[in-house]
Amino acid sequence: MDVNFFIAKRMIREFERSQLHFISSIEDLDLVWAIGYAQKAGKPMGLKALSTGEFGSPKTIQRRLERLRQLDIIGQQRSDCDARRVEFLLTERTLAQIELYRRFIVKNGVVARETVNMNAD
């Protein structure tokens, strides 16, 4: 493995600690990425989709979502298609922080380094 891989990972973690500090655990970050991906794909996630076991037990997911909501990291809204369904979305503040993260990764060529290293194996 190339030293650039470790440099890239250290740079990413340093940025996450300094700029995404409001997300306190890797599990929370997994939820943020999943919710953000679904939001940008135009298919916001509901509780059922988040409670499949991939992110933890249903009760743990409910606690995490509530905490993230109270911290204004995520928001929730009723589905346009089914008013009984609650959908989770990243807040504008969170999206702005993630945009900074994306710019950091692009600026520092982290994506390119990882792709090169993955293809070299």
Side-chain angles (χ1 to χ4, degrees):
M1 212 177 303
D2 185 319
V3 70
N4 286 333
F5 174 79
F6 291 102
I7 292 169
K9 290 300 179 187
R10 286 186 63 193
M11 288 172 61
I12 288 171
R13 286 298 299 138
E14 184 177 317
F15 185 91
E16 288 172 349
R17 280 192 301 276
S18 67
Q19 299 299 316
L20 302 178
H21 57 83
F22 54 91
I23 301 173
S24 64
S25 70
I26 290 175
E27 292 82 6
D28 288 348
L29 195 55
D30 287 343
L31 285 172
V32 167
W33 293 143
I35 291 167
Y37 175 79
Q39 180 177 347
K40 289 299 180 180
K43 299 176 182 177
M45 293 184 91
L47 186 58
K48 184 177 180 180
L50 292 169
S51 298
T52 61
E54 180 181 353
F55 303 106
S57 72
K59 274 296 191 196
T60 300
I61 295 304
Q62 288 176 352
R63 281 192 303 271
R64 287 186 186 285
L65 290 171
E66 180 58 25
R67 193 176 126 288
L68 292 172
R69 195 184 62 71
Q70 288 177 355
L71 293 171
D72 197 37
I73 295 169
I74 64 169
Q76 61 187 49
Q77 67 181 19
R78 294 278 175 193
S79 170
D80 292 336
C81 301
D82 182 352
R84 297 170 297 173
R85 183 175 189 260
V86 173
E87 299 171 331
F88 297 96
L89 304 165
L90 300 182
T91 63
E92 290 300 317
R93 180 183 71 107
T94 304
L95 289 171
Q97 289 295 108
I98 290 173
E99 176 59 20
L100 290 175
Y101 187 49
R102 185 193 70 77
R103 288 182 186 173
F104 171 81
I105 288 172
V106 170
K107 176 185 170 192
N108 290 288
V110 174
V111 174
R113 285 188 216 139
E114 288 180 356
T115 304
V116 169
N117 287 333
M118 287 174 54
N119 291 334
D121 291 341

